Amino acid sequence: MKNRQWLLARRPYGPIQDSDFNFVETDVPTPGAGEVLVRTLMLSCDPTQRGWIARDSYMPAVEIGEVVRSFGVGRIEASNNPDFAVGDIVAGLTGWQDYVAMNPKDQLNKLPPGAPLELAMSALGVNGITAYFGLLDVGRAVAGETVVVSGAAGATGSVAGQIAKIKGCRAVGIAGGAEKCRWLTAEAGFDAAIDYKAEDVQASLNELCPKGIDVFFDNVGGDILDAALAGLAMRGRVVLCGAIAIYNATEQPPGPKNYLNLLLKRGRMEGFIVFDYMPRAAEAIGALAGWVQAGRIKYRVDVQHGLENAPATLRRLFDGRNEGKQLLRVAE
Ligand SMILES: NC(=O)c1ccc[n+]([C@@H]2O[C@H](COP(=O)([O-])OP(=O)(O)OC[C@H]3O[C@@H](n4cnc5c(N)ncnc54)[C@H](OP(=O)(O)O)[C@@H]3O)[C@@H](O)[C@H]2O)c1
């Protein structure tokens, strides 16, 4: 038995390339005292991984030569920890590797037996929790308001827009391409969708949000953020969830041109990191699970296969090729 690992070879410059990493084979680690051995089953692909390998941010950067950091779900194959048994399914930062030995305390969460991995890693996972607290806690969306979501067909955005609907708001999504926009209105229940690749976003926002945008849940940044700032309603809130349009930038991106509208409209723009909300995760998961079960939240997963395809699968997020939550199946 060997352990395949993707190690960081160099910091990315522009879009992620395979040559930013080395694919190596080592021995399967032996768990030490208090540790468990985890067999990775499924990896989560997250835009923030581009940041983790590029620089220190809200977490220290992955060092050159280290295993690439990644959320994943795995099965315990050996345990020296009384709280974790062989066969338990756990979630945590497993990394891009087949096996990892680690101390599970505060690092791994057990999933309920039989929980579908795809659901636990999308609408009921980090993305769902992000959407929940981003919209309700940071954005403070209330019934009757107009909520606009960018990256709306993605793992986080699609849940944010559907929570907005559940809370009695009007939801307008911005996404790339006719098929994603069709899914938003026909299946996910958004009131309207804007195809930013084919439309003038600012003109479409003016048309669809004549009274202005009360909450803008931004996953994208760049020109789309600018267009939304221009259309802000009085006391509008801009939730900075992410800025994928600028994650691959090689130069400092320009600041938002229309920020002065925050002043004129007495608006607020606030960023957040979902990790800060983890002590309250059960609240979000409980609500989300109920809505999924009731068919009020639809989610899509896009499962690719094979650890050898990890860099290519992560790149799909930046090309918009993922249809819903991007996952990578590593083992059964
Ligand atoms: N603050 C937090 O704690 C937190 C937690 C989780 C995620 N996030 C952020 O949330 C955002 C979404 O993450 P996710 O995991 O849910 O991924 P996702 O939305 O499922 O996938 C990324 C999507 O971004 C869009 N995209 C890529 N490049 C773009 C560009 N140049 N301009 C506009 N759209 C672009 C693509 O959709 P289209 O086909 O529509 O272009 C792609 O499908 C990211 O910015 C991420 O960093 C933040």
Side-chain angles (χ1 to χ4, degrees), residues 46-48 127 130 151 154-156 175-176 180 196-197 219-220 224 241-245 247 272-274 317-318 320 322 324:
D46 296 288
T48 198
N127 302 99
T130 302
T156 309
K180 288 188 179 182
Y196 74 89
K197 291 184 176 167
N219 289 307
V220 165
I224 291 179
C241 177
I244 194 168
Y247 290 170
F272 75 105
I273 296 291
V274 67
L317 296 169
F318 295 88
N322 60 309

Side-chain angles (χ1 to χ4, degrees), residues 116-320:
L117 297 194
E118 286 88 351
L119 180 57
M121 296 180 80
S122 56
L124 301 192
V126 171
N127 302 99
I129 298 168
T130 302
Y132 181 91
F133 289 114
L135 184 74
L136 301 179
D137 226 74
V138 185
R140 297 178 208 164
V142 294
E145 292 193 318
T146 295
V147 173
V148 174
V149 182
S150 63
T156 309
S158 62
V159 177
Q162 292 179 86
I163 298 173
K165 286 301 298 176
I166 289 167
K167 294 292 177 183
C169 303
R170 214 169 136 258
V172 175
I174 306 175
E179 183 354 74
K180 288 188 179 182
C181 288
R182 185 208 63 78
W183 183 80
L184 286 174
T185 51
E187 295 184 41
F190 282 60
D191 295 285
I194 299 170
D195 176 358
Y196 74 89
K197 291 184 176 167
E199 295 177 46
D200 175 335
V201 175
Q202 197 155 330
S204 299
L205 283 174
N206 289 343
E207 194 184 311
L208 292 169
C209 311
K211 293 186 189 152
I213 301 166
D214 296 300
V215 179
F216 177 50
F217 189 104
D218 191 21
N219 289 307
V220 165
D223 294 341
I224 291 179
L225 170 60
D226 252 321
L229 279 171
L232 217 55
M234 192 62 87
R235 301 222 175 269
R237 286 84 73 201
V238 177
V239 179
L240 297 181
C241 177
I244 194 168
I246 57 173
Y247 290 170
N248 285 335
T250 53
E251 283 170 24
Q252 179 94 333
K257 287 195 287 271
N258 295 326
Y259 85 97
L260 198 59
N261 218 23
L262 287 168
L263 185 157
L264 303 177
K265 294 288 164 58
R266 291 76 155 173
R268 182 165 62 82
M269 180 148 103
E270 184 177 342
F272 75 105
I273 296 291
V274 67
F275 292 154
D276 298 344
Y277 284 97
M278 283 309 170
R280 290 173 59 194
E283 170 191 337
I285 295 170
L288 291 161
W291 293 328
V292 169
Q293 203 170 14
R296 302 183 76 189
I297 286 189
K298 307 268 181 1
Y299 67 99
R300 293 201 289 190
V301 291
D302 181 331
V303 184
Q304 301 292 306
H305 291 266
L307 183 62
E308 63 281 8
N309 296 318
T313 309
L314 183 58
R315 238 175 353 245
R316 290 170 65 83
L317 296 169
F318 295 88
D319 301 336

